[in-house]
Amino acid sequence: MEIKTINASDTWQIRHEVMWPDQPFEFVQLKEDDLGFHFGAFEENKLVSIVSCFIEGEEMQFRKLATLEEYQGKGIASVLLIQILKFAKEKGLKKVWCNARTNKKAFYEKFGMKNTFKTFEKAGQEFTIMEIILF
């Protein structure tokens, strides 16, 4: 597996296929995509997992962490998450957070992320804000 920086547009197909297949393709295109840092995990030169990171002040939010279904359960998203936490530390950021699908909270807790107990709903999905303090 290889992790590389990618363009925002490289993330859209996986975002759509994995996270929001019932929504129009434009639903996964974020207006702030051009301001973010985007990372992809590649298996044999095929993009199989993606994440987008947005820095504001001393915090970074990551969004749209997604892995193609046939590659799920192999630890690829874990490696990607470890990589972006390292990226945040190298940038000297104090906090990393995400809007996790509530049914995926346990995944993020494995990496030291804490449940803030702040929840909301979007397009029929329930989300919980998870965070980790780095420094």
Side-chain angles (χ1 to χ4, degrees), residues 1-132:
M1 175 185 7
E2 184 179 10
I3 296 183
K4 299 191 266 191
T5 57
I6 58 175
N7 294 319
S9 59
D10 296 331
T11 69
W12 297 340
Q13 183 61 42
I14 292 177
R15 285 179 186 176
H16 187 253
E17 183 178 329
V18 175
M19 304 184 89
W20 300 106
D22 298 333
Q23 296 291 335
F25 190 76
E26 297 76 31
F27 187 80
V28 301
Q29 299 172 14
L30 307 174
K31 65 181 183 314
E32 60 272 16
D33 266 340
D34 290 340
L35 304 174
F37 297 88
H38 308 276
F39 298 92
F42 292 79
E43 288 279 343
E44 298 176 8
N45 294 318
K46 179 181 180 180
L47 181 61
V48 300
S49 187
I50 51 94
V51 67
S52 299
C53 302
F54 301 92
I55 297 172
E56 190 169 315
E58 296 180 323
E59 298 181 4
M60 181 176 82
Q61 178 188 19
F62 68 90
R63 300 178 68 180
K64 311 297 186 203
L65 176 61
T67 303
L68 291 173
E69 188 173 353
E70 62 268 30
Y71 290 89
Q72 291 178 10
K74 298 180 179 189
I76 296 170
S78 295
V79 172
L80 208 45
L81 185 52
I82 290 166
Q83 180 68 30
I84 65 166
L85 290 173
K86 180 180 171 199
F87 171 76
K89 286 179 184 174
E90 289 170 354
K91 293 253 181 226
L93 302 175
K94 293 190 178 353
K95 181 168 96 171
V96 175
W97 63 281
C98 72
N99 297 326
R101 291 185 184 211
T102 298
N103 64 344
K104 301 290 185 186
K105 285 188 302 189
F107 171 76
Y108 296 104
E109 288 169 343
K110 291 189 297 189
F111 299 91
M113 297 191 78
K114 305 287 185 214
N115 185 350
T116 66
F117 299 99
K118 297 174 187 167
T119 62
F120 64 94
E121 192 174 302
K122 176 182 175 183
Q125 288 283 335
E126 184 178 84
F127 292 85
T128 300
I129 298 174
M130 304 287 291
E131 68 181 21
I132 184 168

